[in-house]
C-alpha cells in the first residue's frame, strides 16, 4: 500500500494544525499526491492536547481517519502520552527532545530535535513548529526539500516568510548534522538497542 | 334619493390616500374603532409630503393585526413571519442599500417574539424605520397578555389581572441605541404625521411607538368602554413632554401616557460604520456593495 | 452566464470543506451572508467575512439563526444571491423561515455542517442525522432540494450547483455537509471564472402594471421582480393567489401548494443526481452519501475480495430522492445496504421504494466518527447469505 499515515500532536498554540496543513499542502499541491488532513481539538482554544492526522497516498484517500500511524510527531508530553501507543511498532517517532521523554520500543526509529531551543535561537519561539517541520521533512523525505520549503513559504502569514524559512532550514540542518548520511542509521540502531 | 346621488359623486372622486394603498384589498380586516388605520393614514401622508421615491420604498410586517399593514400598502410589501420583520428588513436594506425600508408591526410581534431582533437592530443602528402600534394586547389571537400589557390590566391569559412588569418601549429602544425615539397615540394625527416625516428624513434605527385602541379585546376585557371612550382617555390623559427622560415614560394601567419626541440624534449607521472600518483597514482594496444591490447580471 | 471573476479564487488550494464551501458560494455570485457562529460550520462565514469586502459582498453576524435565515430571505428579494451557514441546533431554529422561503419562492442556500445530535450533541464531531429534518423540518407540505458533498472539492463544486438550482426553481437548497467533510483539508482546484457556469436571477420583463408575482404562466416557476424596481408587489407567508394576495380557501391552497410541490417533483428527473457503478448483475448495492460514501468504498472493496458482486449508488442530490432508479434496482438485487451516520434515515426511503422486492439493510452509526469499513463489509456479507 502506498498510504502513509501521520499524526502530529502538541499543546494548543504550538502550531500543530499549521504543521499538518503544510505537510498536506506540500504533498497535495507541490508533490501531486493525495493528502487528507483531519484536525481534532478540545473545546479549549489553548493548552489542551491538540492533534492533527494526515493520510498521504498515491491514490485517492477514501477513509479519512488514521489507525496506526507510520509517523508520529510529538511536541508535548501530554500529546505523546495520549497517542504513543497507536504508533506502528516499526513506525517513526519524531519528538521535541526537551519536552518529550519517550519510552522507546525495540527496533523503532526515533529522532529527537530541540526545536524550541532552535526557534529561540532564531529569536522567535513561535516558529518552533516550523523548525520541527524542517526536521520532519529531513527525516521522512516524503516530499523533496524544495516541495516542503515551497509549502512553508505559501502557507505562513505574509511578511513572515524569511523567518519561517530560516526556521525550516534550522530543523532540516539539525537533522543533517545529527543524523545525516550514516549518522541516521547509527542513531536508529542506537535507539533500538536502548 | 338625493343621498344616493351624493354617494355616486363621492365614489367618482378617489380618496387622497388611495394611490398609496392596494384598493383591491379594501375593505381591510381591522375592527371598527381600531387605531391601526389612522396610523397608516398618517404614515401615507408623511410619505406623500416627504416625496420619497416610492419605487425604492419597502415595507415589512410580521404577524398580527398591525402585521397586516404591509399587505394594504401599494409598495414592495413583505408579510413575513411572526417576530422576524426586523431581520427580514435588515436583509432587504443590506441587499440593496438604496432602499428605504420601514417595518410596521405590533407590540407582541416586535417586542415579544421579536424582542431580540429589536434590541440588536437598535444596537447596530440598522438604517430602518420601525413603527410599532401598541394596543397593549395580542389582538389577532384573541386578547392574550403581551409584553406591553400594563400591570393590573386583564387579558385573556391574565384573567385576574396582569402581574408581569411590562416593557417601557421608548426606554428599551433608547438604551439599545435608537437614534430617533418618539411616542404618540392614534389621536395625535398631526403630531404623529410630523413625527413620521421627521423620522423619514433621518438615518439609522428610528423607532416610533403609537398607542392605539383595541376596543374589541383590550377595552372589552377591561371594561373601558368603546373606541370613543379610549380616544377620550387619550385626549384627557396624555401629556406631551419632548425630550423626556425615557426612564420616566413607562405606562401604568389607565394612567398618564407621556408622548413626544424623546431622542433625536445622529450616529453613523451599520453601513456607515462598516464602510469606514473597511476603508480604513483595506484602503483601495475595499469594494462596497453598489447602492442598487449585489445582484449579479449579464 | 459566467462567474464574476471577483469572487473566484482560481488555482490549486489546500482547503477544508468549510472554506471550500465559502469559496463556492462566492464563485456562484453570493454577495450577502447572514450567520450566527456555530461549530463546526463557523469557518465558512469566517472565510466569507474576510473575502467579501474585496468583492462588493456584505456579511452580517446576526443575533441568532432565526434572524440569519429571515435576513437571507429578505436580501434575496433584492436579487442579491444570499446564503447562511449553520449546524444542527441552528438548523432547527432556521426551519420556520426556510418554510417562508419555500412559500415566498425565494432562491437561497442553507448550509448545514452536520454534527452529532440530538440537542447540543457532539459539537465538534461528525453526524448525518439531519437528513430527514432537511426533508420534513419545516411545517406543512413542501418540496425542496438537498445535496451532500463527499470532499472539499465537492464542497466547492456542489455549492455552485446549489446556488444554480436555487435560482432555477426559486427554492431554498439545503447543503447537507457533515463535520468530517467540513473539517477535512484536501486539494481543491478552483477553475478560472470563465469556466464556471452560474444561473443569474431570472427577472421579469413585464411592465410593473402587468406583473403578478406568482403568475406562473403555465411554467412551474414564476418570474421574479426585485424590491426597488418599481413593481410594488406583495408577498406573504400566507396562502396566496397569483397577485401574492392572501386567500384563505381550500381551492387556493391546493392550487398553490400543488404547484410548489410539482415544480420540484415534476422536474425531479433533471434535479436528481447520483453516481452509479457496477450495478449491472450486482448481488448487493450499497447506497450512501457524504463522507460515508468514501468510507463505504473501503468496505465494498473488502466484500469484493470475498467474491461478492457489489454495486454502488452515491447520492449527490439527496432530496428529491432517486425513486425511479431505486425501484428498478430493487427488482434486480438481493439487498440495498445503506450505511449512514444516523440510526436509519435515508434507508427508510430505500425501503419505501424497494417495497419489499429486495432487502433494505441499515448500517447505523450514532455519530462522532465514521463507520469502520469492516462493519460495512459485514453488512454486505450478511445481506447475501
Amino acid at each position: 500500500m502506498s498510504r502513509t499515515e501521520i499524526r502530529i500532536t502538541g499543546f494548543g498554540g504550538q502550531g500543530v494544525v499549521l504543521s499538518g496543513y503544510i505537510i498536506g499542502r506540500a504533498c497535495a499541491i507541490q508533490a501531486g499526491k493525495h493528502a487528507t488532513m483531519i484536525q481534532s481539538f478540545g473545546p479549549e482554544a489553548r493548552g489542551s492536547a491538540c492533534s492533527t492526522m494526515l493520510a498521504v497516498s498515491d491514490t485517492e484517500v477514501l477513509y479519512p481517519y488514521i489507525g496506526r500511524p507510520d509517523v508520529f510527531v510529538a511536541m508535548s508530553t501530554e500529546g505523546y502520552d495520549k497517542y504513543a501507543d497507536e504508533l506502528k511498532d516499526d513506525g517513526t517517532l519524531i519528538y521535541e527532545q526537551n519536552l518529550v521523554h519517550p519510552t522507546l520500543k525495540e527496533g523503532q526509529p526515533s529522532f529527537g530535535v530541540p526545536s524550541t531551543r532552535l526557534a529561540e535561537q532564531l529569536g522567535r519561539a513561535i516558529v518552533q513548529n516550523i523548525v520541527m517541520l524542517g526536521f520532519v521533512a529531513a527525516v521522512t523525505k516524503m516530499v523533496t526539500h524544495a516541495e516542503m520549503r515551497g509549502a512553508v513559504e505559501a502557507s505562513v502569514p505574509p511578511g513572515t516568510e524569511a523567518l519561517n524559512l530560516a526556521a525550516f532550514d534550522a530543523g532540516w540542518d539539525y537533522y543533517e548534522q545529527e543524523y545525516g548520511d550514516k549518522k541516521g542509521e547509527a542513531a536508529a540502531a542506537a535507539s533500538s538497542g536502548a | 334619493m338625493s343621498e344616493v346621488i351624493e354617494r355616486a359623486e363621492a365614489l367618482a372622486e378617489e380618496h387622497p390616500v388611495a394611490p398609496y394603498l392596494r384598493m383591491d384589498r379594501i375593505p381591510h380586516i381591522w375592527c371598527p374603532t381600531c387605531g391601526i388605520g389612522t396610523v397608516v393614514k398618517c404614515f401615507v401622508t408623511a410619505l406623500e409630503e416627504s416625496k420619497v421615491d416610492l419605487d425604492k420604498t419597502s415595507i415589512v410586517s410580521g404577524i398580527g393585526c398591525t402585521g397586516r399593514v404591509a399587505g394594504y400598502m401599494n409598495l414592495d410589501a413583505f408579510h413575513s413571519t411572526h417576530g422576524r420583520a426586523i431581520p427580514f428588513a435588515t436583509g432587504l436594506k443590506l441587499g440593496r442599500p438604496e432602499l428605504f425600508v420601514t417595518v410596521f408591526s405590533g407590540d407582541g410581534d416586535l417586542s415579544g417574539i421579536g424582542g431580540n431582533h429589536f434590541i440588536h437592530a437598535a444596537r447596530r443602528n440598522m438604517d430602518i424605520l420601525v413603527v410599532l402600534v401598541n394596543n397593549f394586547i395580542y389582538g389577532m389571537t384573541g386578547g392574550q397578555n403581551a409584553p406591553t400589557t400594563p400591570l393590573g390590566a386583564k387579558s385573556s391569559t391574565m384573567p385576574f389581572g396582569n402581574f408581569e412588569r411590562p416593557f417601557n418601549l421608548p426606554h428599551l429602544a433608547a438604551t439599545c441605541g435608537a437614534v430617533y425615539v418618539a411616542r404618540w397615540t392614534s389621536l395625535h394625527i398631526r403630531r404623529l404625521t410630523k413625527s413620521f416625516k421627521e423620522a423619514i428624513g433621518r438615518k439609522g434605527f428610528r423607532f416610533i411607538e403609537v398607542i392605539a385602541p383595541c376596543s374589541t379585546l383590550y377595552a372589552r376585557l377591561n371594561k373601558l368602554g368603546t373606541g370613543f371612550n379610549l380616544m377620550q382617555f387619550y385626549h384627557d390623559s396624555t401629556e406631551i413632554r419632548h425630550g423626556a427622560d425615557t426612564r420616566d415614560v413607562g405606562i401604568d394601567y389607565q394612567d398618564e401616557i407621556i408622548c413626544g419626541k424623546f431622542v433625536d440624534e445622529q450616529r453613523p449607521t451599520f453601513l456607515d460604520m462598516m464602510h469606514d472600518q473597511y476603508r480604513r483597514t483595506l484602503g483601495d482594496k475595499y469594494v462596497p456593495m453598489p447602492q442598487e444591490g449585489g445582484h449579479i447580471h449579464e | 452566464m459566467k462567474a464574476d471573476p471577483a469572487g473566484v479564487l482560481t488555482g490549486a488550494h489546500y482547503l477544508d470543506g468549510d472554506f471550500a464551501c465559502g469559496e463556492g458560494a462566492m464563485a456562484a455570485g453570493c454577495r450577502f451572508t447572514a450567520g450566527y457562529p456555530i461549530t463546526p460550520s463557523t469557518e465558512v462565514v469566517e472565510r466569507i467575512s474576510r473575502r467579501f469586502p474585496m468583492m462588493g459582498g456584505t456579511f452580517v453576524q446576526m443575533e441568532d439563526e432565526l434572524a440569519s435565515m429571515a435576513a437571507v430571505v429578505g436580501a434575496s428579494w433584492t436579487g442579491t444571491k444570499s446564503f447562511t451557514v449553520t449546524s444542527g441546533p441552528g438548523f432547527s431554529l432556521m426551519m420556520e423561515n426556510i418554510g417562508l422561503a419555500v412559500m415566498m419562492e425565494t432562491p437561497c442556500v442553507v448550509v448545514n455542517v452536520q454534527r452529532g445530535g440530538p440537542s447540543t450533541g457532539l459539537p465538534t464531531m461528525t453526524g448525518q442525522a439531519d437528513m430527514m429534518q432537511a426533508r420534513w423540518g419545516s411545517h406543512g407540505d413542501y418540496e425542496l432540494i438537498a445535496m451532500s458533498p463527499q470532499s472539499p472539492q465537492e464542497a466547492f463544486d456542489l455549492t455552485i450547483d446549489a446556488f444554480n438550482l436555487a435560482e432555477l426553481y426559486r427554492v431554498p437548497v439545503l447543503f447537507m455537509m457533515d463535520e468530517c467533510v467540513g473539517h477535512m483539508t484536501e486539494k481543491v482546484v478552483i477553475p478560472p471564472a470563465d469556466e464556471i457556469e452560474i444561473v443569474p436571477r431570472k427577472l421579469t420583463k413585464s411592465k410593473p402594471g402587468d406583473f403578478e408575482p406568482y403568475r406562473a404562466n403555465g411554467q412551474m416557476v414564476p418570474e421574479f421582480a426585485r424590491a426597488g424596481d418599481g413593481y410594488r408587489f406583495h408577498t406573504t407567508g400566507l396562502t396566496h393567489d397569483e397577485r401574492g394576495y392572501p386567500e384563505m380557501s381550500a381551492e387556493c391552497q391546493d392550487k398553490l401548494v400543488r404547484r410548489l410541490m410539482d415544480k420540484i417533483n415534476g422536474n425531479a428527473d433533471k434535479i436528481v443526481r447520483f453516481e452509479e457503478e457496477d450495478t449491472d448483475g450486482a448481488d448487493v448495492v450499497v447506497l450512501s452519501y457524504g463522507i460515508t460514501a468514501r468510507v463505504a468504498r473501503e468496505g465494498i472493496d473488502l466484500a469484493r475480495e470475498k467474491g461478492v458482486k457489489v454495486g454502488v449508488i452515491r447520492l449527490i442530490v439527496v432530496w428529491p430522492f432517486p425513486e425511479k432508479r431505486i425501484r428498478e434496482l430493487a427488482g434486480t438485487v438481493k439487498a440495498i445496504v445503506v450505511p449512514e451516520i444516523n440510526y436509519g434515515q435515508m434507508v427508510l426511503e430505500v425501503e419505501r421504494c424497494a417495497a419489499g422486492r429486495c432487502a433494505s439493510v441499515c448500517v447505523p452509526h450514532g455519530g462522532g466518527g465514521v463507520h469502520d469499513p469492516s462493519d460495512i463489509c459485514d453488512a454486505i456479507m450478511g445481506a447475501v447469505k
Side-chain angles (χ1 to χ4, degrees):
Chain A
M1 291 288 282
S2 65
R3 181 172 162 130
T4 303
E5 296 186 349
I6 305 164
R7 183 184 290 281
I8 304 171
T9 180
F11 48 79
Q14 241 179 349
V16 169
V17 174
L18 180 63
S19 309
Y21 177 86
I22 293 172
I23 295 174
R25 182 173 184 153
C27 297
I29 310 291
Q30 270 79 9
K33 299 173 187 242
H34 294 267
T36 301
M37 184 189 100
I38 297 254
Q39 50 181 300
S40 68
F41 45 84
E44 311 87 352
R46 292 286 177 271
S48 63
C50 178
S51 149
T52 183
M53 300 175 261
L54 277 149
V56 181
S57 173
D58 294 330
T59 57
E60 192 183 352
V61 174
L62 294 175
Y63 189 82
Y65 295 109
I66 63 171
R68 299 202 63 188
D70 303 280
V71 178
F72 176 42
V73 181
M75 305 198 286
S76 75
T77 304
E78 192 186 352
Y80 173 80
D81 290 345
K82 190 168 175 182
Y83 297 110
D85 287 349
E86 65 178 29
L87 177 63
K88 275 184 187 160
D89 292 338
D90 59 349
T92 304
L93 173 69
I94 301 172
Y95 58 99
E96 209 303 354
Q97 67 185 28
N98 293 324
L99 296 176
V100 179
H101 303 286
T103 312
L104 297 172
K105 293 178 198 165
E106 200 178 318
Q108 183 164 66
S110 68
F111 302 88
V113 57
S115 47
T116 308
R117 186 169 57 74
L118 291 172
E120 283 165 358
Q121 284 168 5
L122 290 166
R124 293 296 305 275
I126 195 165
V127 293
Q128 179 279 136
N129 62 330
I130 307 296
V131 176
M132 177 59 90
L133 190 69
F135 186 72
V136 171
V139 172
T140 61
K141 305 281 190 324
M142 53 193 308
V143 295
T144 66
H145 177 269
E147 285 164 343
M148 191 71 87
R149 211 169 179 277
V152 171
E153 195 168 9
S155 305
V156 297
T160 68
E161 292 91 343
L163 173 67
N164 279 291
L165 289 175
F168 179 82
D169 292 341
W172 183 285
D173 292 346
Y174 185 83
Y175 171 82
E176 293 293 335
Q177 286 159 25
E178 298 297 316
Y179 302 94
D181 299 329
K182 300 285 178 201
K183 285 186 212 161
E185 287 161 35
S191 65
S192 64
Chain B
M1 286 301 284
S2 61
E3 223 179 289
V4 174
I5 293 164
E6 276 170 26
R7 271 175 187 275
E9 282 168 0
L11 278 176
E13 194 186 338
E14 196 180 44
H15 191 285
V17 301
Y20 296 85
L21 300 181
R22 296 181 190 277
M23 295 307 287
D24 51 354
R25 290 205 61 202
I26 304 297
H28 55 67
I29 62 154
W30 298 313
C31 304
T33 79
C34 170
I36 299 170
T38 310
V39 183
V40 171
K41 167 70 168 64
C42 295
F43 181 65
V44 164
T45 307
L47 282 179
E48 185 171 34
E49 294 180 3
S50 304
K51 302 196 166 36
V52 296
D53 182 353
L54 298 178
D55 285 347
K56 298 274 185 276
T57 302
S58 285
I59 186 162
V60 186
S61 287
I63 299 296
C65 294
T66 314
R68 290 302 181 97
V69 168
Y72 298 124
M73 299 286 298
N74 190 19
L75 300 167
D76 288 333
F78 300 91
H79 183 226
S80 67
T81 42
H82 196 19
R84 317 301 163 211
I86 286 176
F88 193 103
T90 297
L92 278 170
K93 180 68 193 174
L94 298 182
R96 188 165 186 171
E98 66 184 343
L99 295 181
F100 164 52
V101 183
T102 296
V103 168
F104 228 111
S105 217
D107 49 317
D109 187 77
L110 290 172
S111 75
I113 187 168
N116 196 32
H117 312 310
F118 181 87
I119 62 176
H120 285 280
R123 174 181 65 79
R124 294 185 184 104
N125 200 19
M126 190 54 64
D127 188 17
I128 55 176
L129 167 61
V130 176
V131 180
L132 182 152
V133 178
N134 180 1
N135 55 14
F136 302 131
I137 210 153
Y138 281 85
M140 186 166 273
T141 47
Q144 295 80 19
N145 215 70
T148 48
T149 308
L151 269 177
K154 285 178 182 160
S155 62
S156 66
T157 48
M158 287 277 195
F160 307 108
N162 171 40
F163 50 81
E164 280 188 21
R165 209 162 71 95
F167 270 137
N168 167 352
L169 291 172
H171 188 51
L172 180 67
T175 50
C176 292
V179 293
Y180 185 97
V181 179
R183 175 197 281 153
W184 301 102
T185 76
S186 60
L187 183 72
H188 294 90
I189 293 173
R190 285 172 197 279
R191 292 173 190 276
L192 175 59
T193 305
K194 183 171 169 246
S195 192
F196 278 141
K197 277 167 66 178
E198 230 174 41
I200 288 169
R202 302 287 192 274
K203 290 275 175 212
F205 189 85
R206 294 146 285 169
F207 174 64
I208 298 176
E209 178 185 23
V210 190
I211 309 297
C214 171
S215 62
T216 304
L217 291 156
Y218 184 71
R220 182 169 59 79
L221 291 168
N222 288 288
K223 298 190 171 54
L224 299 175
T226 64
F228 175 78
N229 297 120
L230 287 175
M231 295 297 260
Q232 186 76 49
F233 174 74
Y234 297 162
H235 179 268
D236 297 340
S237 306
T238 53
E239 185 197 328
I240 296 173
R241 212 191 289 168
H242 291 302
D245 186 331
T246 54
R247 282 175 294 188
D248 303 329
V249 305
I251 297 176
D252 288 327
Y253 181 58
Q254 288 302 94
D255 199 0
E256 184 182 54
I257 298 172
I258 296 167
C259 294
K261 180 172 76 177
F262 307 129
V263 177
D264 187 1
E265 53 195 38
Q266 281 192 308
R267 260 190 307 115
T269 65
F270 173 90
L271 282 174
D272 294 336
M273 298 284 281
M274 187 181 91
H275 293 321
D276 286 354
Q277 185 70 18
Y278 288 152
R279 285 206 183 95
R280 201 164 52 240
T281 51
L282 300 173
D284 293 343
K285 283 191 284 182
Y286 177 45
V287 181
M289 182 184 285
Q291 282 295 306
E292 64 272 23
H295 173 59
I296 288 176
H297 46 85
E298 298 196 65
Chain C
M1 65 181 280
K2 303 302 177 190
D4 171 10
V8 183
L9 199 67
T10 303
H13 306 274
Y14 198 54
L15 292 179
D16 74 10
D18 281 3
F19 281 174
C21 171
E23 288 297 336
M26 291 182 280
C30 177
R31 294 293 180 269
F32 178 80
T33 304
Y36 184 82
I38 184 166
T39 305
S41 75
T42 314
E43 290 89 338
V44 184
V45 292
E46 286 174 349
R47 185 84 176 185
I48 294 276
S49 59
R50 185 161 282 277
R51 303 233 306 120
F52 254 6
M54 272 72 90
M55 66 183 79
T58 297
F59 166 71
V60 56
Q61 184 170 319
M62 298 301 285
E63 50 275 14
D64 56 33
E65 289 89 346
L66 301 162
S68 301
M69 191 62 216
V72 161
V73 180
S76 183
W77 276 95
T78 68
T80 303
K81 290 189 187 182
S82 307
F83 90 141
T84 186
V85 184
T86 192
S87 187
F91 198 52
S92 293
L93 289 182
M94 286 179 182
M95 281 301 152
E96 186 189 19
N97 286 303
I98 289 173
L100 181 70
V102 168
M103 195 61 151
M104 286 185 167
E105 300 186 63
T106 314
C108 57
V109 173
V110 179
V111 178
N112 177 359
V113 188
Q114 295 173 87
R115 62 196 225 184
S119 190
T120 314
L122 298 167
T124 60
M125 301 171 91
T126 202
Q128 293 182 316
D130 306 343
M131 303 309 294
M132 281 293 171
Q133 187 185 19
R135 175 67 188 84
W136 303 104
S138 197
H139 55 280
D141 280 314
Y142 61 94
E143 294 281 345
L144 43 61
I145 299 170
M147 310 179 81
S148 178
Q150 67 164 353
S151 64
Q153 181 68 54
E154 276 198 352
F156 175 82
D157 296 337
L158 298 183
T159 298
I160 296 172
D161 296 342
F163 274 92
N164 287 346
L165 287 166
E167 295 296 330
L168 281 172
Y169 297 102
R170 283 187 65 175
V171 73
V173 176
L174 309 183
F175 200 68
M176 304 299 287
M177 284 222 276
D178 44 65
E179 183 275 342
C180 190
V181 170
H183 278 170
M184 165 198 285
T185 305
E186 289 185 339
K187 182 177 176 180
V188 176
V189 177
I190 299 182
D194 62 9
E195 289 173 21
I196 298 173
E197 200 60 43
I198 69 164
V199 177
R201 186 72 50 91
K202 193 181 163 200
L203 300 181
T204 182
K205 292 190 169 65
S206 301
K207 293 197 176 68
D210 304 331
F211 177 70
E212 289 183 350
Y214 295 102
R215 188 171 56 203
N217 276 337
Q219 308 288 306
M220 288 188 202
V221 185
E223 292 178 336
F224 188 89
R226 303 195 298 156
D229 279 355
Y231 286 88
R232 308 214 194 158
F233 56 82
H234 179 257
T235 180
T236 174
L238 286 167
T239 296
H240 47 267
D241 63 17
E242 293 185 341
R243 295 171 300 175
Y245 289 4
E247 191 185 319
M248 303 298 101
S249 73
E251 293 74 22
C252 187
Q253 168 80 356
D254 182 57
K255 192 177 171 198
L256 172 63
V257 179
R258 196 178 287 273
R259 182 176 62 74
L260 293 181
M261 298 184 53
D262 282 353
K263 74 177 177 180
I264 303 301
N265 289 333
N267 288 305
D269 284 346
K270 285 185 244 170
I271 301 169
V272 160
R273 200 165 142 198
F274 56 90
E275 272 181 0
E276 182 168 346
E277 182 192 307
D278 298 330
T279 48
D280 273 354
D283 301 319
V284 176
V285 163
V286 173
L287 179 144
S288 54
Y289 54 92
I291 188 59
T292 309
R294 289 169 60 156
V295 175
R297 279 172 54 196
E298 297 240 341
I300 290 163
D301 287 346
L302 295 175
R304 283 175 176 163
E305 281 166 20
K306 296 181 185 184
V308 185
K309 286 184 183 161
V310 188
V312 179
I313 297 273
R314 177 172 78 92
L315 303 182
I316 295 170
V317 167
V318 179
W319 301 113
F321 187 75
E323 303 188 358
K324 211 188 278 176
R325 185 64 189 131
I326 301 306
R327 286 207 178 93
E328 289 165 4
L329 282 174
T332 67
V333 299
K334 284 185 185 159
I336 299 175
V337 171
V338 186
E340 47 187 341
I341 308 175
N342 56 54
Y343 290 104
Q345 295 194 10
M346 297 311 292
V347 70
L348 298 174
E349 283 296 290
V350 172
E351 202 172 317
R352 182 176 68 81
C353 296
R357 288 179 300 138
C358 75
S360 308
V361 181
C362 172
V363 191
H365 188 298
V370 299
H371 290 77
D372 185 331
S374 67
D375 290 342
I376 296 170
C377 175
D378 290 349
I380 296 168
M381 300 312 291
V384 287
K385 254 181 206 161

